[in-house]
Amino acid sequence: MKNTYIYIILLGVLSLSSCSLDTQPYTQLTDTNFYSSPDDALTALIGCYDGMQVATGASGTGLPVASEVFSDNCFGGTGNADGYNYAALDEFDISRAPSYVDLFNGNWVAYYKAIYRCNVLLSKMDQIEWGDDTATKNAYESEARFIRAYIYFEMVRLWGNIPLLTEPSTDNIPQATPDEVYTVIAEDLLFAANNLPDGAYSTIDSGRVTKWAAKSLLGRVYLYYTGYYGASDLVGVISQSEALTHLEDVISSSGHGLVDDFASLWPVSSAHAGVEYSGEDNEEIVFSIRYTYTSDYNGNTDGNHWLVMFGMREFTYLPYGNGWGVTVNPKLWNAYNDTDTRKTATVISVDDEAIPFDKIDNQREYTGYYNKKYTPMSMVDPETGETVSAVTQFGVTDFQINQFQDYVVLRYSDVLLMAAELGSGNAQSYFDEVRQRAYGSNFTSINVSQDAIMNERHLEFALEGVRYWDLLRQGVNTAASTIAETTDLLSGGVTETKTINAANIIETNGLQQIPNTQITLSDNVLKQNAGW
């Protein structure tokens, strides 16, 4: 769907008249007359994908960025003259930026718009004339329910207590309990896992949800819920053995596998390493959210708008593009063994790569390290010989909103490590498979254990938006003690002391600020999370 741009306007406003006239809207599409054929359902389903794309790529504070800032992998960084909203997120302390009362309001609005689209389609499934084609009906319902589950999972991890809507509604309702939300997530993903087509991932249209994505996300949801809430199963819907069975199915039947070269998984990492990029449909990608370069300021929001936050501050140097300077914690660079190929594929090291970075005076919380997996890319203009943003190859020029790199939500290596963590009889071989690729000829097997798996997850998925949630599911106190630190950093070229207090993370339970605008609009039906 990456190169298919369908913009959907479903008009639900009926004509009104004070006279006894025929008010049937013959020239308008409404939610009554639109949903009649499988083609209509497909159009609406594309609208659901579009809603997810906008909510995750072009709305509010990008969650992949925020998730790394929350964790011990990154500092808030940004420009030395910028507001302190990213510092507030980094330190779990709204006093750092007290005017930012709507840190995630754009996310909140876009999430519920996407959920509304899913709920409308799901509510109309029975009025569509499917004939005998139950397979298509089940597939479309599965995709919509997966998208709804994915969005709710992002929301419930971020805020904990959120309004739960499973039907089209604009009612002002109180927040549901996490268990109520997780029940919908689990049931939606289970339906998708059971009803999406069998067969290798490569037989499914590129960019669409697969059975294997649903099974893999079930595993991630199971591990997060049982860890964070200290439960023995996923709200009575999925047991540990069932979660493991789903992951083993992915391993045995999906056709997914590891690519040979870790650096080839990301455009900039592969360019720097001098290896061929494996592409956005490679065998390791179990589920990704697709973006493209066509975003503009007239309502088209197909791009990855958060990628620019990870770029080096106001600085371009092949193959790296200009960005806003969220910085990487030196602890991450130092966590890697020098023989681990993931080190230089994951982190840009200004000194080690001899990058002539000259914007230190503009950079807050400078560390000399930036995200290499997700960062804007630059290229040489074939006509002028100048180094320019890679987006210009498509005839666009805005390095902020025209970024096109997809966000990879789930990789096959994650499936292997989750299965090992859940107690697979093949745990050691799955664990070794991930590490063998990382170390190559320097590989030495170590015994698989919970601690070893969590450490490996840190190194394997660093800067992919996974680490923070892996810490939280080990317990809020564990997350707080791991993230908390006091260190000296350069801001505007001047040394300042940076403190992240464990008590703040504990007070908030690792949850984030409910947007004040939403609390006000709800007439205080919504309640703010502790610590915000």
Side-chain angles (χ1 to χ4, degrees):
M1 295 185 181
K2 183 156 185 166
N3 296 312
T4 303
Y5 316 120
I6 298 178
Y7 303 95
I8 302 163
I9 302 177
L10 299 180
L11 302 175
V13 180
L14 297 177
S15 303
L16 298 177
S17 174
S18 59
C19 303
S20 57
L21 301 175
D22 184 356
T23 59
Q24 176 66 31
Y26 291 105
T27 60
Q28 288 185 349
L29 293 177
T30 73
D31 64 355
T32 300
N33 66 24
F34 175 74
Y35 294 89
S36 60
S37 71
D39 285 345
D40 295 339
L42 178 59
T43 300
L45 178 60
I46 293 171
C48 297
Y49 277 97
D50 181 70
M52 176 176 63
Q53 179 191 58
V54 172
T56 59
S59 299
T61 302
L63 194 58
V65 179
S67 298
E68 290 301 327
V69 171
F70 300 155
S71 80
D72 58 336
N73 284 341
C74 289
F75 295 117
T78 67
N80 195 49
D82 289 346
Y84 283 86
N85 48 318
Y86 276 85
L89 296 177
D90 189 14
E91 299 168 28
F92 293 76
D93 183 1
I94 196 57
S95 70
R96 295 284 277 133
S99 65
Y100 285 86
V101 297
D102 280 328
L103 288 166
F104 290 100
N105 190 57
N107 307 66
W108 182 285
V109 171
Y111 282 143
Y112 277 110
K113 285 182 178 179
I115 286 171
Y116 184 84
R117 291 186 182 189
C118 294
N119 285 341
V120 170
L121 174 56
L122 292 170
S123 72
K124 301 297 182 180
M125 295 298 289
D126 290 336
Q127 80 177 43
I128 294 168
E129 297 176 3
W130 298 100
D132 296 329
D133 194 0
T134 56
T136 298
K137 177 184 178 182
N138 287 341
Y140 288 4
E141 181 175 350
S142 295
E143 289 175 81
R145 291 182 71 168
F146 177 98
I147 292 168
R148 182 172 69 178
Y150 177 77
I151 293 170
Y152 269 135
F153 185 45
E154 285 205 348
M155 294 174 71
V156 75
R157 288 189 302 175
L158 192 62
W159 292 302
N161 301 290
I162 56 174
L164 176 63
L165 296 165
T166 56
E167 296 179 354
S169 174
T170 57
D171 291 346
N172 182 20
I173 61 173
Q175 290 139 296
T177 66
D179 275 12
E180 290 172 317
V181 179
Y182 274 101
T183 296
V184 170
I185 293 170
E187 291 175 346
D188 279 352
L189 291 177
L190 187 59
F191 183 90
N194 290 336
N195 288 280
L196 281 164
D198 295 322
Y201 80 94
S202 56
T203 65
I204 309 300
D205 290 343
S206 174
R208 296 183 72 164
V209 171
T210 67
K211 173 189 290 288
W212 318 116
K215 287 173 174 284
S216 300
L217 189 55
L218 257 178
R220 178 175 287 183
V221 172
Y222 175 89
L223 285 167
Y224 185 79
Y225 175 84
T226 55
Y228 183 79
Y229 294 100
S232 59
D233 60 27
L234 179 54
V235 289
V237 177
I238 299 292
S239 67
Q240 179 173 335
S241 62
E242 289 168 333
L244 175 57
T245 296
H246 284 293
L247 295 172
E248 297 282 21
D249 285 347
V250 178
I251 294 168
S252 63
S253 303
S254 69
H256 285 294
L258 299 181
V259 301
D260 292 335
D261 194 315
F262 186 81
S264 74
L265 286 165
W266 295 276
V268 176
S269 300
S270 59
H272 181 259
V275 299
E276 183 178 357
Y277 173 45
S278 292
E280 59 193 18
D281 296 313
N282 70 71
E283 63 181 328
E284 189 159 340
I285 297 176
V286 177
F287 176 62
S288 65
I289 299 176
R290 313 300 286 267
Y291 301 114
T292 192
Y293 55 85
T294 56
S295 279
D296 57 32
Y297 294 102
N298 297 313
N300 299 323
T301 48
D302 307 293
N304 183 334
H305 293 196
W306 52 259
L307 190 75
V308 68
M309 296 305 303
F310 279 130
M312 290 189 289
R313 182 73 192 184
E314 301 175 12
F315 189 76
T316 298
Y317 184 77
L318 278 174
Y320 311 123
N322 185 28
W324 296 141
V326 167
T327 55
V328 169
N329 193 322
K331 290 195 304 185
L332 176 60
W333 175 261
N334 295 327
Y336 289 97
N337 188 296
D338 286 341
T339 60
D340 188 336
T341 61
R342 295 172 298 194
K343 183 174 188 173
T344 55
T346 298
V347 182
I348 298 169
S349 173
V350 171
D351 288 344
D352 289 271
E353 297 179 32
I355 298 171
F357 184 72
D358 60 3
K359 301 294 184 180
I360 291 177
D361 288 350
N362 296 353
Q363 172 76 67
R364 178 180 295 152
E365 299 177 344
Y366 177 74
T367 63
Y369 300 102
Y370 295 93
N371 188 340
K372 190 178 290 187
K373 291 177 177 176
Y374 289 100
T375 197
M377 192 172 188
S378 65
M379 57 178 276
V380 175
D381 187 312
E383 296 183 1
T384 67
E386 297 178 348
T387 300
V388 296
S389 171
V391 305
T392 61
Q393 67 186 294
F394 302 111
V396 294
T397 59
D398 196 321
F399 74 94
Q400 298 181 87
I401 65 172
N402 293 138
Q403 298 295 336
F404 50 87
Q405 185 177 342
D406 297 343
Y407 176 52
V408 180
V409 176
L410 283 160
R411 293 195 283 115
Y412 182 70
S413 59
D414 201 346
V415 176
L416 292 173
L417 292 178
M418 287 192 293
E421 186 175 350
L422 287 174
S424 170
N426 298 314
Q428 186 68 55
S429 64
Y430 294 162
F431 183 64
D432 285 348
E433 187 175 349
V434 173
R435 296 185 68 253
Q436 280 174 332
R437 177 179 63 179
Y439 289 93
S441 61
N442 294 305
F443 169 75
T444 301
S445 183
I446 61 174
N447 290 332
V448 66
S449 66
Q450 181 67 18
D451 287 344
I453 290 171
M454 297 312 295
N455 182 65
E456 204 60 35
R457 290 184 63 83
H458 185 199
L459 303 175
E460 177 74 14
F461 307 117
L463 307 182
E464 297 180 45
V466 174
R467 170 65 169 174
Y468 179 64
W469 313 110
D470 273 355
L471 288 174
L472 271 189
R473 68 182 177 87
Q474 296 176 69
V476 173
N477 288 341
T478 296
S481 63
T482 303
I483 296 168
E485 69 172 294
T486 297
T487 188
D488 288 338
L489 300 171
L490 284 176
S491 290
V494 177
T495 300
E496 67 174 10
T497 299
K498 166 83 168 182
T499 298
I500 302 174
N501 194 326
N504 293 343
I505 302 171
I506 294 170
E507 182 183 7
T508 62
N509 289 310
L511 302 175
Q512 300 302 312
Q513 176 198 70
I514 303 288
N516 187 66
T517 290
Q518 301 305 318
I519 295 173
T520 301
L521 288 172
S522 76
D523 197 22
N524 291 310
V525 170
L526 300 181
K527 305 303 178 186
Q528 185 57 271
N529 282 328
W532 294 102

